Amino acid sequence: MLDPLQALPCYSMVRFLIERLTGLGVVLFAMSILVYLLIGLMPGDPIDLMISADPNLTAADAERLKAVYGLDRPVHERYLAWLGNALQGDFGYSRLFARPVLEILLPRLANTLMLMGLAFALALLIALPLGVLAARRPQSLTDGAVNLFAFAGISLPPFWLAILLILLFAVALGWLPAGGMGDGSLASTLTHLLLPAFALTLASVGGYVRYLRASLIEALRQDYIRTARAKGLSDTRVVYGHGLRNAMIPVTTIIALDFGTLFGGALITETMFGWLGMGKTIYDAIMGNDYNLALVGLLLATGTVLLANLLADLTYAWLDPRIRLE
């Protein structure tokens, strides 16, 4: 007999979200174990760095400090102690900044999401019209020019592209600052955000154009497109009203998977432009043996990528009503 709850319109959505969020929690738990073990294998520890920086510290001082921070215990005991504190909302302190980890990471995460969000929006604004233009005239001169632009964007290394942008817009033309975060005002922040966002946009737009072009060409060959044309619909309505929506389903998968790639690109871009985001923070934490900051930073980055994939699954159902969340 059918469960009465299943008749509710929101039942499938709620069940799907509960299952996916539970899986997300399991993945983060497994990721925390893996990252904690890998960080524990790094050479040296914070106490060793303190000893090398202060010659007045003795071996006895080092032993006492390791006992205070729990570094004299086996790695599994240290992990369980960290996990217990994390479940209570205490993620520890950053050795580099002498502040609670979340006080440092949450603003940096917001900075990265701001950078990636602007780059993502610009990439879609450029990729959608170019992909549609190339798909409507395959094998034409226009298609060749769009493909050349896409391949150029895919081929450019992010660090080299960042150097070129700095030399052109900051050094030669003097239109934009070479890096930094600005003075905190909205206008200054946006001015400093443009160059790194443009660098990330150029690094990702080429792939979006190629996938959209291929997907839309395939969609425009389907029977329902011929039927729509036979009904007398305009070419623009056929392409945008019928073809593009179905072509966006595989492209949405690529975009969701590319979200993790953007995090990797953001590491290089943030370092090159001095943008205080998650990528640069995690890099500094690893180089400075800041265990807590690196661990929580990597978990936040992982959680953000998993949420992006969840959002992509929800977008599938919106783009194509035939797709059921069950």
Side-chain angles (χ1 to χ4, degrees), residues 17-241:
L17 287 176
I18 292 175
E19 291 177 351
R20 287 298 300 271
L21 291 175
T22 301
L24 189 149
V26 173
V27 172
L28 286 179
F29 172 69
M31 186 71 178
S32 69
I33 297 176
L34 179 62
V35 173
Y36 196 93
L37 293 176
L38 289 176
I39 291 178
L41 294 176
M42 292 172 58
D45 58 43
I47 307 303
D48 294 332
L49 295 177
M50 292 172 62
I51 294 174
S52 61
D54 187 355
N56 295 323
L57 286 176
T58 64
D61 295 329
E63 292 298 326
R64 283 195 298 270
L65 287 172
K66 289 185 178 183
V68 169
Y69 289 102
L71 297 177
D72 59 339
R73 292 184 289 172
V75 64
H76 67 277
E77 292 185 9
R78 300 202 304 268
Y79 171 76
L80 291 176
W82 175 87
L83 181 62
N85 292 330
L87 293 176
Q88 299 176 31
D90 179 12
F91 291 90
Y93 276 74
S94 165
R95 186 188 68 83
L96 292 177
F97 299 94
R99 291 165 53 198
V101 165
L102 290 184
E103 285 187 10
I104 300 166
L105 286 178
L106 292 182
R108 304 288 177 92
L109 177 61
N111 291 338
T112 291
L113 292 178
M114 186 192 312
L115 171 62
M116 294 175 62
L118 180 58
F120 176 72
L122 290 175
L124 285 184
L125 287 175
I126 298 172
L128 285 177
L130 288 182
V132 171
L133 185 64
R136 294 176 72 175
R137 300 175 179 84
Q139 308 304 321
S140 66
L141 184 62
T142 302
D143 184 29
V146 171
N147 280 324
L148 180 63
F149 169 76
F151 282 122
I154 295 171
S155 304
L156 289 175
F159 71 91
W160 188 71
L161 178 60
I163 294 174
L164 288 182
L165 292 175
I166 292 173
L167 290 176
L168 176 61
F169 292 102
V171 178
L173 299 176
W175 292 352
L176 296 171
M181 298 289 296
D183 57 12
S185 65
L186 179 60
S188 179
T189 301
L190 289 177
T191 302
H192 286 77
L193 182 62
L194 286 178
L195 275 186
F198 191 48
L200 278 182
T201 298
L202 291 179
S204 57
V205 69
Y208 295 164
V209 170
R210 292 288 299 162
Y211 283 114
L212 179 60
R213 173 190 175 277
S215 182
L216 185 55
I217 288 176
E218 181 65 25
L220 292 178
R221 294 172 178 169
Q222 301 304 311
D223 292 339
Y224 64 86
I225 295 294
R226 285 193 290 269
T227 302
R229 294 187 192 278
K231 290 180 179 180
L233 297 180
S234 66
D235 186 64
T236 299
R237 187 173 178 183
V238 169
V239 172
Y240 288 94

Side-chain angles (χ1 to χ4, degrees), residues 262-285:
L262 275 179
F263 257 105
L267 166 59
I268 299 173
T269 304
E270 288 172 1
T271 302
M272 295 294 295
F273 290 98
W275 184 261
L276 296 181
M278 287 291 293
K280 189 174 188 307
T281 302
I282 294 174
Y283 173 79
D284 291 339

